Amino acid sequence: MAGLEPREFRWVIARRLAVSERIGGYGYQHRRVRREEEITWLREHGITTVVSFLPGRQNLGSYEAAGFRTGHIPIEDPLEPGDTAPVFGVLDDALAKPGAVVLVHRDIIDDTVAGVLAGYLIHSKLLRDPIVATSVIQEITGRPLGPEGRRLVPTVP
């Protein structure tokens, strides 16, 4: 296999939903060559759709040129718990396409991204307990989920 694995690449839902840092790096670390290598790696690992949580539309043209479907839902900090429904909707739409394997990214995997993903596990009914969803995301990302992320995990009646 060719290419470079994106930084902090993790499967959230095995072979269906993954997360990583921004493809090619972010800020002054962003490199076009690295982005191209990471795109090659993603394609070879079955990713079909890239959903960007970046505030701007950076890299979407590169993803489309590489043959990925794209989605964009800008997430600004702080994300309020009531503002997660559109994010979950974009993920629902991306995953509803037959054979879709989706990667989501933001500059880094922070509390907001991890909280959204834990919330999505509840929203999608893959998990019902917010404590379990929080624990699962902490295990997947290898980082504790702080209060900013925890507040994005919905409770189930």
Side-chain angles (χ1 to χ4, degrees):
M1 298 220 158
L4 293 171
E5 180 175 322
R7 289 182 180 105
E8 300 300 322
F9 180 89
R10 304 282 191 276
W11 288 106
V12 176
I13 302 170
R15 306 294 180 245
R16 291 282 291 145
L17 178 62
V19 64
S20 76
E21 291 184 357
R22 180 180 171 189
I23 306 306
Y26 65 95
Y28 67 89
Q29 298 175 343
H30 184 79
R31 301 287 183 265
R32 185 179 60 85
V33 172
R34 181 170 183 93
R35 181 182 67 223
E36 291 169 2
E37 288 293 317
E38 290 179 4
I39 285 172
T40 298
W41 189 92
L42 292 171
R43 196 174 355 191
E44 290 184 1
H45 285 80
I47 303 297
T48 60
T49 306
V50 178
V51 175
S52 173
F53 292 161
L54 294 172
R57 300 185 56 82
Q58 304 95 321
N59 293 351
L60 291 179
S62 296
Y63 305 149
E64 291 164 357
F68 295 114
R69 283 177 275 207
T70 60
H72 180 238
I73 182 90
I75 294 180
E76 300 284 346
D77 285 326
L79 181 65
E80 297 300 324
D83 295 336
T84 57
V87 179
F88 297 159
V90 167
L91 294 177
D92 285 340
D93 291 345
L95 288 163
K97 293 176 176 54
V101 181
V102 178
L103 171 79
V104 298
H105 76 77
R106 198 168 178 217
D107 279 334
I108 59 171
I109 300 172
D110 58 7
D111 263 13
T112 301
V113 172
V116 164
L117 292 171
Y120 187 74
L121 293 175
I122 298 293
H123 164 83
S124 65
K125 298 182 176 44
L126 289 169
L127 296 173
R128 297 197 55 76
D129 185 334
I131 294 169
V132 172
T134 299
S135 178
V136 165
I137 286 301
Q138 289 178 139
E139 184 70 28
I140 289 169
T141 61
R143 63 183 304 284
L145 188 58
E148 288 300 310
R150 289 176 187 267
R151 68 191 193 100
L152 300 175
V153 183
T155 57
V156 181

